[in-house]
Amino acid sequence: MSNNKKVVLSGIRATGNLHLGNYFGALGKFVRMQDDFDCRFFIADLHALTTHPDPKMLHENVKQILAEYLAAGLDPDKNILYVQSDVPEISEMYLLMNMHAGIGELMRTASFKDKARKALGISHDGNNDEEAVEKEIIGNQSGKSVNAGLLTYPTLMAVDILIHHADFVPVGKDQEQHLELTRRFGRRFNAFYNTEYFHDPVNFNFDGKPVKVPGLDGSGKMGKSEGNCIYLVDDEKTLRKKVMRAVTDAGPTEPGSTPSEPVANLFTLMDLVSEPDTADHFRKAYADCSIRYGDLKKQLAEDILKITLPIRERVLEIRNDDQYLSRVVREGAERARDIAADTLRDVRHIMGIRKI
Ligand code: TRP
């Protein structure tokens, strides 16, 4: 791996099968980056622990995502592919970095507020979430609790990134705030110890802005917890059925009208998976009111399948090849640990943890 290539680091939490949102927000980008950058991609199993997965499921999910990484085309010879927990240096540096992470700033993170609110059974009212969460955490009237790992999720993510001195971190829009915190932690460390040890990592997108992949239920983004996902491993029949059932509307009645959100979402998906001409064709049909949503959906399903079916087939091949999978992560862990150990050694030294 040549030394002048920019360093790329990213990971996906091990919480279940990957869907189209993960593919266009992350994995697809990883695959496109692997030739031009010095890439390290990992499976975030420690981050998955924040939501208390069943241990057997966690293990299965780690294997599944690894198989999906490989099936989508990530080449273990070009990239360092590893499992987060196989690199204990990350956990140690996480402890060290937590000494400089503020409880307040962690509590104000959008993802924390959201998860804490749910865990504490506080309903969403938009304005006072922060206050309500804080009050309940300290006052604890409900007897429910939020684990400290959830609070320090961004510290662990910052360490994932900083331990590699990454330049680029390809992630979806929802991760921008975590990336901002990473930069803040790095700069704070530099300022506190009067060093220039860390530099700012930035998001990476091929054409400007981060993609948001809509779900099939008419509004919002595709997400595991929303139940509106198309999975990379969906079989043909399931996938077609999901697309045919996607929410639409009663159809355009006036020429040139703006599509409603559910229909606009289908166009957005089409922009991601279909040829530009195809999307144009259906946009025009919408504009002149000749569109038939059934045709649109059939075409959309067809074009999604072109991307997902080959991946699905390879996942099925790789998924049970335990020897191959464990060889990939063993080699990946070795390489990642070499890098991580160098950073950890420096960080310990800078912080004053030195041999007597
Ligand atoms: N928080 C990310 C997500 O939920 C996963 C993640 C953990 C990550 N550590 C990372 C992504 C480091 C990029 C870099 O998708």
Side-chain angles (χ1 to χ4, degrees), residues 163-326:
I163 211 163
H164 285 277
H165 297 280
D167 298 296
F168 295 122
V169 185
V171 282
K173 197 168 165 45
D174 61 324
Q175 297 298 312
E176 295 265 12
Q177 195 180 27
H178 289 150
L179 204 47
E180 184 54 42
L181 270 174
T182 303
R183 288 188 284 267
R184 207 197 294 173
F185 292 161
R187 286 184 203 158
R188 183 178 298 155
F189 182 94
N190 288 352
F192 193 90
Y193 295 104
N194 196 16
T195 163
E196 301 202 348
Y197 189 64
F198 293 119
H199 64 266
D200 282 352
V202 294
N203 198 349
F204 183 93
N205 290 289
F206 280 95
D207 37 21
K209 43 180 184 343
V211 260
K212 183 176 144 192
V213 181
L216 298 172
D217 52 352
S219 69
K221 67 167 193 168
M222 192 175 283
K224 259 168 246 177
S225 44
E226 328 303 327
N228 60 4
C229 292
I230 293 177
Y231 292 102
L232 297 178
V233 292
D234 276 343
D235 62 44
E236 203 172 326
K237 209 170 131 206
T238 308
L239 193 146
R240 281 187 206 279
K241 210 188 276 169
K242 284 185 183 175
V243 176
M244 295 315 284
R245 281 190 192 153
V247 176
T248 53
D249 59 19
T253 47
E254 284 190 29
S257 50
T258 318
S260 62
E261 195 184 350
V263 176
N265 284 349
L266 296 185
F267 283 132
T268 303
L269 282 172
M270 200 161 232
D271 286 333
L272 291 167
V273 298
S274 307
E275 297 292 331
D277 284 356
T278 311
D280 270 3
H281 165 80
F282 284 102
R283 280 208 169 84
K284 280 197 193 111
Y286 186 90
D288 68 17
C289 302
S290 67
I291 193 161
R292 285 165 37 177
Y293 290 142
D295 295 344
L296 168 85
K297 289 174 172 178
K298 247 185 228 151
Q299 183 67 45
L300 183 60
E302 214 53 54
D303 292 336
I304 293 173
L305 283 165
K306 271 189 209 136
I307 296 172
T308 59
L309 266 197
I311 298 178
R312 173 186 151 82
E313 276 160 26
R314 281 194 296 271
V315 169
L316 296 179
E317 269 167 37
I318 298 170
R319 183 67 177 76
N320 294 315
D321 191 346
D322 283 346
Q323 252 184 347
Y324 174 59
L325 293 178
S326 74

Side-chain angles (χ1 to χ4, degrees), residues 9-13 42 44 47 84 153 156-158 160-161 169-171 174-175 178:
L9 181 281
S10 195
I12 299 179
R13 230 153 28 104
F42 71 100
H47 275 112
Q84 187 182 32
Y153 184 111
L156 182 56
M157 177 157 164
D160 289 328
I161 297 166
V169 185
V171 282
D174 61 324
Q175 297 298 312
H178 289 150

Side-chain angles (χ1 to χ4, degrees), residues 1 38-40 75-82 87 164 328-341:
M1 225 161 280
D38 175 353
C39 296
R40 300 104 193 246
D75 180 345
D77 293 328
K78 288 183 190 160
N79 311 285
I80 303 179
L81 304 179
Y82 63 97
V87 183
H164 285 277
V328 168
V329 287
R330 207 169 44 233
E331 285 171 9
E334 223 170 89
R335 294 162 70 195
R337 285 195 73 178
D338 278 347
I339 296 163

Side-chain angles (χ1 to χ4, degrees), residues 14-154:
T15 50
N17 293 337
L18 299 184
H19 52 73
L20 278 189
N22 300 125
Y23 185 77
F24 288 105
L27 183 52
K29 284 199 266 183
F30 302 174
V31 175
R32 284 171 73 191
M33 294 179 90
Q34 63 182 338
D35 290 315
D36 299 323
F37 299 96
D38 175 353
C39 296
R40 300 104 193 246
F41 299 117
F42 71 100
I43 297 157
D45 58 343
L46 297 176
H47 275 112
L49 287 174
T50 56
T51 46
H52 300 165
D54 172 75
K56 247 198 228 117
M57 282 304 293
L58 178 62
H59 178 67
E60 288 304 312
N61 285 336
V62 170
K63 272 174 72 179
Q64 177 69 20
I65 294 187
L66 177 63
E68 289 178 324
Y69 273 8
L70 296 163
L74 285 184
D75 180 345
D77 293 328
K78 288 183 190 160
N79 311 285
I80 303 179
L81 304 179
Y82 63 97
V83 179
Q84 187 182 32
S85 62
D86 281 342
V87 183
E89 289 78 5
I90 293 169
S91 296
E92 184 175 341
M93 187 165 143
Y94 161 66
L95 181 150
L96 299 175
M97 285 307 271
N98 262 333
M99 305 305 168
H100 291 284
I103 293 175
E105 64 191 337
L106 293 170
M107 278 182 74
R108 285 188 297 274
T109 311
S111 59
F112 175 75
K113 277 193 289 187
D114 197 43
K115 292 210 170 100
R117 195 174 48 71
K118 286 181 189 152
L120 296 169
I122 296 169
S123 62
H124 186 39
D125 77 355
N127 297 320
N128 299 319
D129 289 1
E130 206 169 293
E131 226 171 281
V133 165
E134 194 180 323
K135 222 169 123 206
E136 178 50 32
I137 285 176
I138 295 171
N140 198 223
Q141 295 298 305
S142 67
K144 294 180 180 148
S145 77
V146 186
N147 74 71
L150 202 55
L151 182 67
T152 55
Y153 184 111

